[in-house]
Amino acid sequence: MHTDVLVIGGGNAALCAALMAAEAGARVTLLEAAPREWRGGNSMHTRNLRCMHDAPQDVLVDAYPEEEYWQDLLKVTGGITNEHLARLTIRASSHCRDWMRKHGVRFQPPLSGTLHVARTNAFFMGGGKALVNAYYRSAEQLGVQIRYESRVDRIELDQGRFVAATVTTPQGVERLTAKACVMACGGFESNREWLREAWGQREDGEWPAENFLIRGTRFNQGTLLKHLLDEHQADRIGDPTQAHMVAIDARAPLYDGGICTRLDCVSLGVVLNKHGQRFYDEGEDFWPKRYAIWGRLVALQPGQIGYTIIDSKSIGRFMPPVFPGIQADTLPELAQRLGLPVDTFMQTLNDFNAACREGSFDHTILDDCHTEGVTPAKTHWARPIDTGPFYGYALRPGVTFTYLGLKTDDTAAVRFQDVPSPNLFVAGEMMAGNVLGKGYTAGVGMSIGTAFGRIAGTNAARAALAQEARHANA
C-alpha cells in the first residue's frame, strides 16, 4: 500500500499533522495502535491548552503575553529547554484556536477549582475526548484514511529518508510505503520494563518504577522511539527519568486513570512519606506550575508512596477527587488509619503547626502564610492543621508522558548526526523533551503537540507533493 503522507499515532499531535497534510492536498493515512474505542492516546485525558494572548479573548481573561509564558516555562524547566523551539510553541499557541474551531473543537471557561488557570488556559468543551472525536470527524471528512489496531514498531530509512513502515494488525504484518512520514505515537510511559530500566534499582533494593501508575493510555510503549534511537541512531534529547509525573491517588488503576485521579489538595496541607516525615515545600508556587513535580518527588521517597494530609478548612477549596479521603476525628486516629507511625506523624504535625505564621490566607495568590523554623519550609498557604475532621490520601507516582525523545528543529524534522531528514518528521510526546527538559506547567503539552503537529503535517505534505512534482516532470 502507498500513500503521500503516513501519520503514525492517533492523538492530538498526530491528528493535527494529518489535518494539515490533508488540507495541503496530500493523500493521508493515519495509523492508530489502539482500537477505535481507545483512540486518542493521552490526548483523550487532557482538558486544556496553555495560550499566549495579549488581550482578553472569549474564554481567556486579561492577558498572558509571550514573555510571561516564557518565564513560566523557563522556571519550571530550570532552564533545560530550547528557547527557540519554546518560543515557537508559545507564539503558535496565540493563533491556533481559530484553526481548532474550524475542525470542530469548542472552548469553555474553566470550572471553579481548576488550578487558577482562567487567564492562561483555554479549556475544551467536553474535554480531550471531545477534542479527539472532533478531529477524527474532520479527518474523515477530508478523506484521511484511518486505520485502527495498526501498530508500527519499525520503519525503513535510506540515508535518513523515510521509505516504508512495517505495520502489525490483527490480520497480519504489511509494509506501507509513503512519500513522507510524521511520527507522533507518544513516549514510553506505558512500557514498564523500560521505566524499570531507566529508573534502576535503589541502594535499598527497591525498583521505584514497579510502584508507578500510568495516568494515560496503555498503548504508548515507545517501541518505535526505541527503534529510531537504537537502530537508526536518530539524534536524541532528554533524560529517560524525566517525565510529566503527578502524585495521584494510590487507589487509581494501573492505566487510564486520567485527570480525575489527581489530588489537588497538596498545596493546602502537608505531604508525608511512609515514615511520617515531610520532604518538600508544599507551597512553593501556584499548583499549575508545581503539580507535575510531585509524582517525581514521591517516586524518590521510600516505597514510592506519600500521604497528603489536610483538615476541614481545606474542604471545598480544590477539585474533588474521584476517591474519598480517609477521614478521622483526630490526627492520631488518622495516622493509624493510614498505617503511619503515630509518634513521628504527630511530631511532624505538631512541629509544622507551631511553625505556621498565619497572615492573610488567599489560595489565589502567593500569600504571606508561611512557616518559620521548620525544614522543609512551607512558603505559602501554611495554616495549622488543627480543625477536624481530618483527611488523608495515599499518593503514588502517576506517569503521564516521558521526556526522552527525538531531537528536532523548527521544521519538526527528525535529525541524524545533526542532519535533518528530508521527509521524516516528529511531533508530540516523541519530541516534547526539546521544550521540556524537566518540570511542567498546565496545558503546555497540548501547546507543543498542536504547534509541532501542524508544522510536521505541513512540511510532510510539502515534501510529498514536491516529490510527486519531481516525478511528474521527470
Side-chain angles (χ1 to χ4, degrees):
M1 179 182 173
H2 185 74
T3 188
D4 289 338
V5 174
L6 179 66
V7 177
I8 303 171
N12 172 61
L15 288 161
C16 286
L19 290 167
M20 291 296 286
E23 286 180 329
R27 291 176 300 131
V28 182
T29 298
L30 181 144
L31 304 178
E32 162 65 289
R36 188 182 190 280
E37 59 271 22
W38 288 101
R39 69 185 183 182
N42 287 335
S43 301
M44 65 179 177
H45 292 298
T46 62
R47 294 192 299 178
N48 58 68
L49 175 83
R50 182 165 285 255
C51 297
M52 166 192 161
H53 56 106
D54 292 322
Q57 291 181 358
D58 60 290
V59 299
L60 294 165
V61 301
D62 300 328
Y64 187 48
E66 177 181 337
E67 195 58 31
E68 183 181 357
Y69 195 151
W70 162 243
Q71 290 299 323
D72 284 345
L73 197 53
L74 193 63
K75 184 175 182 180
V76 298
T77 61
I80 308 175
T81 182
N82 180 313
E83 182 173 357
H84 176 64
L85 300 186
R87 287 188 181 273
L88 183 156
T89 299
I90 291 167
R91 291 166 188 153
S93 74
S94 71
H95 55 74
C96 64
R97 289 198 302 127
D98 286 342
W99 179 86
M100 294 170 71
R101 287 190 187 93
K102 186 176 76 171
H103 291 289
V105 179
R106 297 294 178 262
F107 295 92
Q108 67 179 48
L111 303 175
S112 62
T114 48
L115 306 184
H116 320 109
V117 287
R119 186 172 67 88
T120 58
N121 292 50
F123 279 67
F124 314 130
M125 185 174 290
K129 189 71 172 178
L131 174 139
V132 163
N133 288 341
Y135 281 164
Y136 272 104
R137 281 193 298 270
S138 191
E140 289 167 354
Q141 290 164 5
L142 286 170
V144 175
Q145 183 181 19
I146 298 165
R147 299 176 57 180
Y148 298 104
E149 298 182 81
S150 298
R151 190 183 77 245
V152 177
D153 294 335
R154 304 181 62 81
I155 62 172
E156 297 173 31
L157 299 177
D158 180 8
Q159 297 183 330
R161 175 179 287 276
F162 175 83
V163 177
T166 302
V167 186
T168 302
T169 72
Q171 289 73 43
V173 179
E174 65 178 296
R175 181 174 180 270
L176 203 162
T177 60
K179 298 185 181 80
C181 176
V182 176
M183 299 183 298
C185 49
F188 69 91
E189 56 271 7
S190 307
N191 188 327
R192 296 181 67 77
E193 289 184 10
W194 195 350
L195 287 172
R196 192 175 191 267
E197 175 190 325
W199 279 79
Q201 188 176 22
R202 288 167 45 122
E203 290 183 2
D204 58 11
E206 290 182 341
W207 292 86
E210 292 183 351
N211 287 316
F212 294 176
L213 301 173
I214 315 305
R215 298 178 71 216
T217 178
R218 69 192 62 209
F219 295 99
N220 283 5
Q221 295 288 324
T223 313
L224 187 57
L225 173 61
K226 194 172 188 66
H227 171 67
L228 263 292
L229 294 174
D230 292 352
E231 297 186 42
H232 291 297
Q233 286 77 55
D235 295 353
R236 70 176 63 206
I237 197 161
D239 177 345
T241 70
Q242 289 291 348
H244 181 305
M245 190 182 291
V246 180
I248 64 174
D249 197 298
R251 296 164 289 186
L254 178 57
Y255 296 105
D256 280 306
I259 218 156
C260 66
T261 59
R262 192 178 74 199
L263 288 163
D264 286 347
C265 56
V266 166
S267 60
L268 292 165
V270 296
V271 180
L272 314 182
N273 61 22
K274 73 176 187 179
H275 300 308
Q277 300 164 327
R278 291 177 62 238
F279 53 89
Y280 198 81
D281 179 357
E282 301 90 349
E284 184 177 39
D285 205 342
F286 288 120
W287 190 231
K289 301 176 185 178
R290 284 294 176 266
Y291 77 99
I293 70 168
W294 276 91
R296 186 177 180 84
L297 292 171
V298 171
L300 296 173
Q301 293 304 304
Q304 297 74 58
I305 195 162
Y307 300 85
T308 183
I309 311 298
I310 60 172
D311 68 7
S312 59
K313 296 193 298 291
S314 298
I315 299 301
R317 293 185 177 275
F318 60 97
M319 186 67 75
V322 68
F323 301 109
I326 302 300
Q327 182 177 334
D329 291 330
T330 68
L331 286 170
E333 180 188 355
L334 182 62
Q336 290 177 332
R337 296 197 64 188
L338 292 172
L340 295 174
V342 176
D343 290 346
T344 308
F345 178 98
M346 289 307 303
Q347 183 69 52
T348 298
L349 268 294
N350 288 336
D351 288 349
F352 173 81
N353 287 347
C356 287
R357 302 293 181 263
E358 287 195 79
S360 300
F361 177 83
D362 187 344
H363 201 219
T364 66
I365 64 171
L366 296 174
D367 71 7
D368 58 353
C369 297
H370 63 283
T371 60
E372 292 180 1
V374 68
T375 303
K378 184 173 182 182
T379 48
H380 304 286
W381 314 303
R383 294 192 294 177
I385 299 172
D386 58 7
T387 307
F390 303 94
Y391 301 86
Y393 300 85
L395 305 171
R396 287 285 187 195
V399 186
T400 312
F401 66 92
T402 47
Y403 291 173
L404 175 69
L406 301 175
K407 192 173 184 179
T408 190
D409 54 29
D410 55 15
T411 70
V414 179
R415 302 180 74 87
F416 300 90
Q417 297 183 332
D418 208 29
V419 177
S421 170
N423 70 339
L424 180 62
F425 304 90
V426 64
E429 293 177 8
M430 289 185 81
M431 51 65 61
N434 289 270
V435 177
L436 294 168
K438 68 173 185 178
Y440 193 75
T441 187
V444 75
M446 290 296 283
S447 300
I448 296 168
T450 302
F452 280 88
R454 295 180 70 202
I455 292 168
T458 298
N459 289 335
R462 184 176 293 131
L465 297 174
Q467 182 180 327
E468 187 173 300
R470 285 195 300 272
H471 288 166
N473 295 328

